[in-house]
Amino acid sequence: MTIRVGIVGATGYAGEALFDILLRHPSAAITGVYSRSGDRRAFSELFPRFKGRTGVICSPLDVKKIVNDSDAVFLSLPHTVSMELVPHLVKAGKKVIDLSADYRLRDPAVYRRFYKIKHKDAGNIKRAVYGLPELYRAKIKTAGLIANPGCYPTAAILALFPLLALGAAEHSPLIIDAKSGASGAGKNPSGDMMFSEVHDDFRAYKVNCHQHAPEITQELTRVSGKKTGVIFVPHLLPLTRGILETIYLRSLPGQKRSTGSLVTLYKKFYKTEPFVRIKDAGSFPRLKETAGTNFCDIGIQADGADIIVISAIDNLIKGAAGQAVQNFNIMYGFPETTALL
Amino acid sequence: MTIRVGIVGATGYAGEALFDILLRHPSAAITGVYSRSGDRRAFSELFPRFKGRTGVICSPLDVKKIVNDSDAVFLSLPHTVSMELVPHLVKAGKKVIDLSADYRLRDPAVYRRFYKIKHKDAGNIKRAVYGLPELYRAKIKTAGLIANPGCYPTAAILALFPLLALGAAEHSPLIIDAKSGASGAGKNPSGDMMFSEVHDDFRAYKVNCHQHAPEITQELTRVSGKKTGVIFVPHLLPLTRGILETIYLRSLPGQKRSTGSLVTLYKKFYKTEPFVRIKDAGSFPRLKETAGTNFCDIGIQADGADIIVISAIDNLIKGAAGQAVQNFNIMYGFPETTALL
Amino acid sequence: MTIRVGIVGATGYAGEALFDILLRHPSAAITGVYSRSGDRRAFSELFPRFKGRTGVICSPLDVKKIVNDSDAVFLSLPHTVSMELVPHLVKAGKKVIDLSADYRLRDPAVYRRFYKIKHKDAGNIKRAVYGLPELYRAKIKTAGLIANPGCYPTAAILALFPLLALGAAEHSPLIIDAKSGASGAGKNPSGDMMFSEVHDDFRAYKVNCHQHAPEITQELTRVSGKKTGVIFVPHLLPLTRGILETIYLRSLPGQKRSTGSLVTLYKKFYKTEPFVRIKDAGSFPRLKETAGTNFCDIGIQADGADIIVISAIDNLIKGAAGQAVQNFNIMYGFPETTALL
Amino acid sequence: MTIRVGIVGATGYAGEALFDILLRHPSAAITGVYSRSGDRRAFSELFPRFKGRTGVICSPLDVKKIVNDSDAVFLSLPHTVSMELVPHLVKAGKKVIDLSADYRLRDPAVYRRFYKIKHKDAGNIKRAVYGLPELYRAKIKTAGLIANPGCYPTAAILALFPLLALGAAEHSPLIIDAKSGASGAGKNPSGDMMFSEVHDDFRAYKVNCHQHAPEITQELTRVSGKKTGVIFVPHLLPLTRGILETIYLRSLPGQKRSTGSLVTLYKKFYKTEPFVRIKDAGSFPRLKETAGTNFCDIGIQADGADIIVISAIDNLIKGAAGQAVQNFNIMYGFPETTALL
């Protein structure tokens, strides 16, 4: 069985990564690549690294054509643009995997507060499944619309899921000190993201006001049943790909655990997960070990009541395109690691 | 008045920075550069960037010669080596500024635990003044032996000093998420610090077991009179120079403060300090803005009871060589910013 | 058909890349990974990024075991070590692909001059086929021993092959200004290759005395039938992967060609090559477009009698591991791009 | 004597470097900083790294005010903008040091060809002195208008000056393979110069059509009295500061020289120059050794008739702001190294 897939908005970094992965997918045929700019240019002209590997031509963003030519559609569009398109695709019965933030937050009021715009397709929010397979694999199988998780939330939620789901730590405040490479900021030129500004620099930004914070608390609250609160400080690393988060929390009063027991707990918890790897005690993730992969690596340490969890992913793979394809594989019953190992 | 200064161990990064600064100092004459290797080579051969600026020749490490030729001696040696030399220099009445860790910890048992060796000159520890001018300027003026602070502690203590000295926040746990450039690891070749291992990578190391943690708690406990406890997680940045620390703590119960009032408090507290700069509310330090300078930049934000303090320094300047010269200026009554602006 | 492959010396960067590619090869089974250190450690412990993807254990370097367990053997060893092993493997009838320099130079005296050691297996040099598929595909098909080309020579020879093979340019001096990422220097710790020394730096090294120069002239002389002479200056780039060479030569007297005609000539010449891509006139290779791929990208420009050719490869892929697997595919009749696209 | 200096266009990288140097100049007082944007903002707000060091406020670009407040004016403006301002300043008798390209090319037709605009102040071109002290120190002393050299030409001309002035090498083609850091491209946001595009990349650009080529040939032709021709290929390095040029040329027929004799010749030639350093035979410049300095480092090697010269500078210092201050020092009779060592 070959699924005809369309990629809408393939000219950004996540779209490029998506194209790269789907090109290697034995059961997916890229039948269309659509960009808002509307240029009819060879995709390999936009991204010369694909020259000799594909003859696909970019098309203008035409809903009819997308509907006609695709079984599944990946949307790699800026937030607020996705929600213009999704209703049409859902209505036409297409499987939609949306990499934007538009269907992640279940409360339109929260969306409005953080994305500064009223949601235009609130009706479909309930229909959307939050596409983190480790939490929602069963629902993803039958979903028609996937809200593919944000990069920071993926690393944070996977790091905290075992402790909070098992009620083994306090829910607030969870201190998340996050560091991301520059590709997370996208391709649009901006003075802040010029080479000479980012190279040899390191800085915090959107200190405790980043739009990924409510996504993290929403999901952690759902899995744990208790309201969680995060302090979330993202920083910009002088490298292109990767997110590492160092998370500080505390065990419940009177329930201290050793590092060893926590490592064991995590290993057991994620035992059957193909893309979560738990480091042995005393060992911690490095960006280099996840770069270019769909893995999330996690290290844990306890010091008295204090617990430190460190997680790392490639923001464009497990934090975007790889996870999208993982969801695609689950939706169509393909082996979950197809094209991802 | 010209002070004859000797630099012992000038072949590392801190020693190189020290030489660079002292060369520009109008009241210091570098009368000797001493290295343990004992090679008699032109300093500009070891560091070609100084060619055309100095004719100094490296000498073997000979105590008599150092004593004869110097009024003040900077020791830029590995810890455990400094304490072999210091007793002789102190005895000879030289002013000594030691950049190693040997005289920073007041309790030899703590030294032993963290540096894995028994202290050999415990007698001089009491005599040593911890060379953080913002805390101990008065004592530095008359000191004979300066324990120049560690790089991580400098950024941490300056960030926390106002809050803890004023009793305006809880003392434990202070969560310090620290990030340092690679020059902090020194020049000795090691597989971990090779270009291809550090470039494009980011990782935590010595998670909550770094030897700078007791230095931080010692000093914060002294200034606040209350036992402080830190969780200290250092990380390695893919850049050469700079330390940025993101620190999380909580206000005292019932004493929440706004970001604005905290910024005001910090600005007032450090009003007369020539090398501490407080960012306006909503603005935070960047490594680029402190690189190559002796400044420590600090930003603060409060969110409810949670307080976030971010500080940045150049680890080789304010975190080592610059601070050493600042101490030197204070000891000799030179304007404190001499050769440092 | 599944070929049992052994990788000898997989602990370096080229070996790591080789493992990565062969793991994805549908017709290759990695039956052994051998290291000189002799440690019996999980390969995924040496390279944590392979955790969850392989259970292979490193074995000590034992010729009998290698012979028993492998059909084809990849040697990713330092030069001078390969030639100790090759005679035994060749004798046992194994297909050998040697990534070291030991069998590349056809004249043992030249080998001795550049590698400072007498060749110990001169008899097998004649048997070895220089594994550049674009030049020697037919011979590679039936070869028992492949001398996999050096990284710099791969980029240089592919850039110059059309012009020299067609007698369309002067043969001397060919000026090759080469720039390589740091992974080319291998994993052994050295002061020169520490992060703080390479980052923010750029320098020439082995100016016109690099051991890859005779490899380039040997092959260009063979394809053209005329003695060629190169001036070869390699430089070290502050990045991990990639080689870009800017080559300056002159057309034959009275035979100037336009940029357009040269581009056409190159495109025609390499028309059937799966891994050589010629840029359109006015466009030139970028390292980013070849990084992680087995492609060699080439751009050409003529200005009067002066010709500029720029080529780029990933030094660990087309310059080492990828080319090795390309040769393997040819030797066994697999589609040449298997595991390489 | 204190000279009142104005900096026009201080918001770019060269302007920032200029401000940094002039701030340390004991005989210069920065009496005005002018920007085209017209914002009246504290300079330390635009460049927070100067906070605590200056209280200067940016002014709109007002010729009268500049004339009133300055004795000497540094123009750090884009080309084509300088020539609008220069006539007014020259007329008012100000000493003008122009860092743009507007007065470097002596032939307005060449200017027009390379900068795509007709020169508007051709009359002052003859009056301008090309501000390379090593060539024109005597004229600079009495000049009213300095055309401060381009960054690439500075490194190229200093590297070739001895050989060509002495008639010791062929004049054409001089092959200049140049590599520059990203700060050379300025601060204006552009897709090409975003961090994620430059980091881990290396590429040639403006292959043999860069506007600095005619500046190089003009000056080399003047010093040698013979028409020189260059092939000039610039490349973009993934670092912020520095230019390294690898230059290939040939000795005159029958006049081969050894590396040793060339090194001696260069050392003698530049013996009295405070900012040119010649490497010993077998040793070559590194960007790290010139970064942050006003030095130009040069290495030379001869192989038969082929000569390789490698030069390195900091593009913002010796290639722009440092050289401008060196010219300023010469014009006012200050020691030439003032504020530059």
Side-chain angles (χ1 to χ4, degrees), chain D residues 5 32 35 61 86 103 131 147 165 170 210 239 247 308 311 319 332 334:
Chain D
V5 302
S35 82
L61 203 160
V86 162
Y103 296 88
E170 293 195 347
H210 192 281
L239 51 81
I247 303 177
I308 301 162
S311 61
Y332 284 96
F334 301 129

Side-chain angles (χ1 to χ4, degrees), chain B residues 2-10 15-34 43 50 53-59 65-66 69-74 325 328 339:
Chain B
T2 294
I3 308 301
R4 298 174 306 150
V5 302
I7 305 176
V8 186
E16 181 186 2
L18 204 46
F19 190 92
D20 194 25
I21 297 170
L22 288 170
L23 206 54
R24 282 181 276 128
H25 200 296
S27 305
I30 303 174
T31 50
V33 167
Y34 309 89
F43 191 68
F50 292 114
R53 295 180 57 199
T54 181
V56 168
I57 307 292
C58 275
S59 308
K65 188 168 159 38
I66 299 172
D69 293 357
S70 326
D71 301 314
V73 184
F74 290 86
V325 174
F328 170 82

Side-chain angles (χ1 to χ4, degrees), chain A:
Chain A
M1 180 176 62
T2 295
I3 309 303
R4 298 173 306 150
V5 302
I7 304 176
V8 186
T11 57
Y13 292 124
E16 181 186 3
L18 204 46
F19 189 92
D20 193 25
I21 297 169
L22 288 170
L23 206 55
R24 282 181 275 127
H25 199 295
S27 305
I30 302 174
T31 51
V33 166
Y34 309 89
S35 82
R36 286 183 299 154
S37 69
D39 297 343
R40 289 193 188 281
R41 295 171 65 189
F43 191 69
S44 68
E45 199 184 318
L46 285 169
F47 295 104
R49 77 182 184 97
F50 291 113
K51 221 185 124 194
R53 295 181 55 199
T54 181
V56 168
I57 308 291
C58 275
S59 306
L61 203 159
D62 171 344
V63 179
K64 268 193 201 148
K65 188 167 159 40
I66 299 172
V67 167
N68 271 339
D69 293 357
S70 326
D71 302 314
V73 184
F74 291 85
L75 301 180
S76 182
L77 293 163
H79 60 87
T80 78
V81 181
S82 270
M83 62 186 171
E84 311 261 4
L85 210 59
V86 163
H88 306 288
L89 299 172
V90 165
K91 208 172 178 182
K94 301 298 154 187
K95 297 268 187 190
V96 178
I97 299 170
D98 177 25
L99 281 79
S100 89
D102 281 355
Y103 297 88
R104 295 179 197 155
L105 295 173
R106 307 194 70 74
D107 181 347
V110 176
Y111 181 87
R112 190 171 192 168
R113 183 156 74 247
F114 280 90
Y115 293 94
K116 317 290 176 205
I117 194 168
K118 188 172 183 303
H119 204 288
K120 292 175 187 164
D121 184 32
N124 272 316
I125 293 179
K126 307 183 260 308
R127 225 170 271 176
V129 173
Y130 190 74
L132 197 56
E134 292 78 5
L135 271 71
Y136 301 112
R137 187 171 283 108
K139 287 186 185 172
I140 292 166
K141 276 181 188 162
T142 58
L145 171 58
I146 295 289
N148 209 59
C151 49
Y152 283 127
T154 295
I157 298 166
L158 292 177
L160 289 164
F161 182 29
L163 282 174
L164 299 198
L166 298 173
E170 293 195 347
H171 283 63
S172 185
L174 306 166
I175 294 172
I176 303 176
D177 193 280
K179 300 90 175 174
S180 173
S183 61
K187 284 188 92 166
N188 284 339
S190 80
D192 269 7
M193 300 303 296
M194 293 278 283
F195 180 81
S196 298
E197 296 300 314
V198 175
H199 180 72
D200 281 339
D201 194 26
F202 182 70
R203 58 185 194 244
Y205 67 100
K206 294 192 183 177
V207 172
N208 213 17
C209 61
H210 193 280
Q211 67 278 8
H212 280 173
E215 191 179 330
I216 296 169
T217 52
Q218 166 185 291
E219 294 304 319
L220 291 176
T221 299
R222 281 171 79 187
V223 296
S224 70
K226 284 191 194 163
K227 189 153 182 51
T228 63
V230 303
I231 298 172
F232 179 72
V233 181
H235 302 74
L236 179 63
L237 285 167
L239 50 82
T240 307
R241 290 171 81 150
I243 281 178
L244 189 138
E245 302 185 6
T246 310
I247 303 177
Y248 304 88
L249 71 169
R250 292 177 66 82
S251 50
L252 293 179
Q255 302 193 6
K256 281 186 213 171
R257 290 162 188 266
S258 67
T259 298
S261 76
L262 284 175
V263 168
T264 303
L265 181 154
Y266 270 68
K267 288 197 171 178
K268 203 169 152 192
F269 194 93
Y270 283 127
K271 198 187 177 91
T272 59
E273 285 302 334
F275 292 118
V276 179
R277 301 185 294 200
I278 308 303
K279 307 291 282 185
D280 290 335
S283 188
F284 295 90
R286 291 176 57 179
L287 283 193
K288 266 199 181 300
E289 294 171 359
T290 54
T293 83
N294 197 49
F295 286 101
C296 176
D297 283 357
I298 300 173
I300 316 119
Q301 181 163 310
D303 289 294
D306 295 299
I307 303 172
I308 301 162
V309 189
I310 302 181
S311 62
I313 60 170
D314 183 320
N315 59 309
L316 295 180
I317 310 293
K318 183 63 177 169
Q323 187 141 271
V325 174
Q326 188 179 355
N327 284 318
F328 171 81
N329 288 338
I330 295 170
M331 291 163 96
Y332 283 96
F334 301 130
E336 197 165 326
T337 60
T338 308
L340 293 172
L341 280 189

